[in-house]
Amino acid sequence: MGIPAFDIIGDVAIVEIEGGENEKGIAKLIVKNHPHIKTVLRKMGGREGKYRVRKFKKILGKETETEHKEHGCRFRMDVAKVYFSPREATERQRIAEQVKRGESVMVMFAGIGSFPVIVAKKNPKVGQIYGIEINPHAFKYMVENVRINKVGHKVMPVLGDVKKVAKDYSGLCDRVVMPLPKEGYRYLPEAFQCLKKKGTIHFYYYEHERDLFTKALETVRKTSEKMNKRVKIINKRKVLPYGPRVWKICIDFEVCDSK
Ligand SMILES: C[S@@+](CC[C@H](N)C(=O)[O-])C[C@H]1O[C@@H](n2cnc3c(N)ncnc32)[C@H](O)[C@@H]1O
């Protein structure tokens, strides 16, 4: 029996199993190859709702709270209550590498604090980092992860809806990260608002590979016109596969006043 694709988050394995396969047998094989695994969960559908969490079936073990290590940082979470994807580790590192000394950074949709903590750890000379998250479970873990990674002097976790609370950070930031590909475009005006006179936005979106960037670029352009700003696209690229021929993409762009 082969093992289907699975992710490991701390000591939890999350596996995607087709209909009739022997799930107990698959779980035992995973644990045999990765003896530190204590819980094996089966994905039961896609990510849902505002919090972007998914339903699981427990195949082996009970505990869904775990601690995951990434880029020398520790992340505690309950995988059944929050969004976290270990597949995005390279993307987090890529963003952290672009942050410059003294910059203030807004991370919208911050989840358990993975982007804010990694940016702070990688850039000891960074300015203030804000992380806004609406899921109270994820927010609780963000507070804990900021504490255990000793970046409390750099990262300020904020509980709330970006639509409502981002205005409190108007004009304060050099960089905004928007890791919500599904409907993140609705919050582009808030991202523009958070920036100082100029700054950089990392905008994520999902798109079919037949035309990956046109719609996302058009959305950026229309928002910049409404906000009376100029934009310069600095990068556009595929991040990760999302579904059959559908990709998560990222547009990195600079914003400045139109005059
Ligand atoms: C795709 S996840 C990304 C989480 C995290 N940045 C990461 O990379 O692991 C999106 C997150 O945005 C949060 N979210 C969704 N809508 C929101 C809103 N309007 N305001 C604040 N957070 C929101 C969800 O609860 C979820 O944790």
Side-chain angles (χ1 to χ4, degrees), residues 134-153:
I134 200 168
N135 175 353
H137 299 292
F139 173 77
K140 183 198 91 169
Y141 285 110
M142 174 157 43
V143 171
E144 192 173 346
N145 292 328
V146 165
R147 182 180 59 78
I148 64 176
N149 288 286
K150 300 185 174 57
V151 290
H153 58 304

Side-chain angles (χ1 to χ4, degrees), residues 47 49-52 82-85 88 92 107-116 132-135 138 160-163 179-181 187 206 248:
R47 297 189 186 279
K50 199 164 39 178
Y51 299 166
R52 311 305 301 141
V82 303
Y83 176 101
F84 180 80
S85 171
E88 287 158 11
R92 288 188 267 274
V107 181
M108 297 175 157
F109 326 112
I112 58 156
S114 48
F115 270 107
I132 305 180
E133 172 55 45
I134 200 168
N135 175 353
D161 183 339
V162 167
K163 264 290 164 218
L180 180 69
Y187 304 85
Y206 286 132
K248 174 169 166 175

Side-chain angles (χ1 to χ4, degrees), residues 123-135:
N123 302 280
K125 305 274 188 208
V126 71
Q128 182 69 55
I129 303 171
Y130 309 96
I132 305 180
E133 172 55 45
I134 200 168
N135 175 353

